[in-house]
Each structure stands twice: as C-alpha cells, then as structure tokens.
Amino acid sequence: MANHASVRKAVVPAAGLGTRFLPATKATPKEMLPVVDKPAIQYVVEEAVTAGLDDILFITGRSKRPLEDHFDRNLELEEVLEEKGDHERLASVTASTNLGRIHYVRQGDPLGLGHAVLMAENHVGDEPFAVLLGDDLIDPRDPVLQDMMAVRAEHGGSVVCLMRVPRETISLYGCPAVETTDRDDVVTITDLIEKPPVDEAPSDYAVIGRYLLDPAVFEVLRSTKPGRGGEIQLTDALRVLATMPAEAGGGVHGFVFDGRRYDTGDRLSYLQAVITLATERDDIGPGLRDWLASFVARM
Ligand code: UTP
C-alpha cells in the first residue's frame, strides 16, 4: 500500500563545502550567511515550522558551531538586552531559540546531497519527511510546503517543488521529464537529470530545494553510486523512485510553484536576494530604495 502518512519531520542539509562563497564559508556554513539581518537558514526553519514541521534535523559538516550557537540561547546577550529594556532586539535574539525541536547529525565527508539525506535515516525512521535546502529562500508570503503536502496526501510517494525557468539556465538545476495530470500545477515525473546541457533538458522545469520524500528513498540512496561531480546525487535516487511501484514507496510528482523564490546559492543571486528583500522592508526599505535610485543614476 502506498504510504499516505502525514509529514512531521524536516531535514535541512547544511554540510556542503560552499565553495562558491569562499572565503566567507571557510569557517562558517553558507547557510549562516545573513540575508538582510537573519541567516538564510533561519528563514528555512521558520518556513518548516509554519508548515507544521517542528522536528528539524540539521545535517552538519565540519563547521557546525555557528549553526548550533544560532539556534541555542545566548544568555549573556539576553541579560544585557533585558537590562537595557531593549525588548525588540531581545525578541529577535530568542526567536531562533524557540523555533522547534532541533537535532543535529554529522555528515563526515561531504559526499553529496543524496549522502547528506541518507544521514537522516536513523532520526527519520519509516515515515515521510521534508527536505529543505538553505540555498532556496521561499518568500514567507508564498508558502509552498502546504501545497506540496496536499499533493502527497492525494498521490502518496514523493513530491518535489518545480519552477519554470528560462531554458538557457536549466543546466544549473535538476530537470525532470514530466507527464501532465488533471491539475495544471501538478505533474507526474517520469525521469530526472541533474544539471543537463540545454539541448538535453527534457523540460523547462527546474527542481527547487523543497522535497517531500517517501522513506523508501533511504534504501535507494544506499545503492546510489556517485553521479555528476562524483557526488551521491539526490536527483539520481529520485529518478529510481519515479520508476518504482507505489506499493514499494515509488512515484514522484512535481508541484509547480509560481511564488517568490530567491536563490542565495551563488554570489550574484545572493546579492540580488538581499537587495530585493531589503527594499521591501518597512524599516530599511524606503532609505535603501532612495539610495539605490541615486546610486544607479550616478553609474
Ligand atoms: P550545493 O551543491 O549547492 O552546496 O548543495 P555546496 O556543495 O555547499 O555548494 P558549492 O557549489 O560548493 O558552493 C545543496 C545543499 O546540499 C548541502 C549543502 O549544504 C546545500 O544546502 N550538501 C551538499 C550537504 O549537506 N552535503 C553535501 O555533501 C553536499
């Protein structure tokens, strides 16, 4: 029988080397880079908790200290802010501590996203779970996990988040071959290719860093050989799941998301994300917009 159980746990891989952001990521995970005034990963954890996933497992690597400290209490800071009566900043400091039940597991060697997900097996057990990547920042005004959960409740198996992207950028993403369903925003995935050349891309859908996975993925990952870039790719495991029968936990659907998403994974997109979000804020937005306008006029 297909597993239609509801999703309760979130896995957040943060053990990648972040080479595109060196030297900033030499001793700090890239997920800790600030997007305006919050680390990227806090947006992701808040998104999970808002969707009802308050059991969060971080897959960490060699530099996990900043992550742990961020989601832990900072008594000294709390005391100072309390004494000053600065309740607004105090609330911003304690917000990340009170988010959910947070757990950590080490990946050891960063052998790829698929390998990172496999590290979650003991904690997750035999239930469906979500995977959220810190590189993709989904605007809190456009929650996508709830829509993905509805697709899973209907079809079972696994669900990935898709966005239409300009064809010439498809080689930056995982790309699925799809069949339509009776809903415009849901497709059945028949195959997947990690970062295909433009002329080999089976569609103009890109896989975005939100997944709901059937626990059958663990067994598939155990036998997944290193793929593109010598890494154990989650895409390759999803490709196998897509062809497996529903009774064995197979079947992959795509939910086509058309909300606001910001890419914080590479330097240019990261800067664009920070500026976009900052200009929309009530506190610093007006000042930044004025300054940007005069800055651009001077260029
Ligand atoms: P990326 O390939 O974007 O991350 O992996 P990276 O390797 O850190 O980035 P660059 O290319 O060197 O700059 C997507 C996500 O998977 C995690 C990363 O932390 C990121 O959130 N990841 C990747 C792991 O946790 N472990 C790995 O072995 C690889």
Side-chain angles (χ1 to χ4, degrees):
M1 256 243 347
N3 181 341
H4 286 255
S6 61
V7 181
R8 301 182 306 124
K9 292 178 179 167
V11 172
V12 182
L17 291 176
T19 52
R20 284 169 294 169
F21 260 107
L22 284 168
T25 46
K26 184 178 171 191
T28 307
K30 72 172 167 189
E31 290 76 7
M32 283 300 294
L33 295 178
V35 176
V36 190
D37 49 11
K38 266 196 297 197
I41 201 146
Q42 188 175 334
Y43 291 86
V44 168
V45 173
E46 286 170 354
E47 181 192 339
V49 172
T50 304
L53 312 173
D54 64 350
D55 182 304
I56 319 267
L57 176 72
F58 285 122
I59 314 295
T60 63
R62 71 246 115 80
S63 42
K64 69 164 183 170
R65 266 298 287 280
L67 255 176
E68 284 196 347
D69 288 348
H70 184 71
F71 290 98
D72 201 351
R73 294 190 68 179
N74 183 329
L75 294 175
E76 195 187 345
L77 199 52
E78 287 177 30
E79 238 172 72
V80 171
L81 294 169
E82 186 86 63
E83 268 165 30
K84 282 189 178 168
D86 191 341
H87 298 294
E88 199 177 318
R89 288 204 174 88
L90 180 62
S92 78
V93 165
T94 52
S96 55
T97 318
N98 301 328
L99 273 174
R101 284 171 294 142
I102 299 201
H103 312 268
Y104 300 88
V105 65
R106 287 292 272 253
Q107 188 184 4
D109 290 324
L111 300 178
L113 176 58
H115 182 254
V117 170
L118 189 52
M119 298 295 108
E121 184 174 15
N122 265 349
H123 181 82
V124 166
D126 192 27
E127 55 180 289
F129 61 105
V131 173
L132 292 86
L133 303 188
D135 283 6
D136 285 309
L137 213 152
I138 305 284
D139 195 302
R141 294 166 291 185
D142 299 323
V144 69
L145 287 172
Q146 289 88 331
D147 287 330
M148 292 172 66
M149 285 178 192
V151 176
R152 213 198 98 79
E154 188 182 344
H155 295 280
S158 299
V159 180
V160 302
C161 183
L162 302 177
M163 282 189 98
R164 275 189 196 280
V165 296
R167 194 93 187 169
E168 62 277 13
T169 65
I170 200 74
S171 56
L172 298 171
Y173 301 94
C175 176
V178 301
E179 280 169 6
T180 54
T181 68
D182 54 3
R183 271 179 60 175
D184 285 347
D185 56 358
V186 179
V187 291
T188 304
I189 292 183
T190 55
D191 198 3
L192 275 154
I193 307 179
E194 182 64 18
K195 301 191 171 77
V198 178
D199 53 352
E200 288 171 29
S203 69
D204 57 359
Y205 288 120
V207 178
I208 301 304
R210 299 292 179 272
Y211 310 81
L212 301 181
L213 299 177
D214 189 279
V217 73
F218 292 125
E219 198 171 333
V220 175
L221 279 170
R222 264 196 296 278
S223 53
T224 301
K225 299 268 175 302
R228 207 176 183 285
E231 298 193 343
I232 297 175
Q233 299 285 355
L234 182 58
T235 305
D236 291 339
L238 283 165
R239 183 176 199 194
V240 174
L241 282 179
T243 58
M244 277 168 46
E247 309 77 69
V252 181
H253 286 82
F255 175 74
V256 183
F257 177 59
D258 68 353
R260 284 159 284 195
R261 167 236 175 207
Y262 313 98
D263 178 0
T264 58
D266 87 330
R267 290 170 300 177
L268 178 60
S269 316
Y270 167 81
L271 289 172
Q272 289 164 341
V274 172
I275 291 171
T276 307
L277 286 168
T279 51
E280 289 177 356
R281 290 239 315 223
D282 290 339
D283 51 358
I284 52 175
L288 180 62
R289 282 199 297 271
D290 287 350
W291 176 81
L292 268 177
S294 63
F295 180 75
V296 170
R298 273 184 276 123
M299 276 171 69

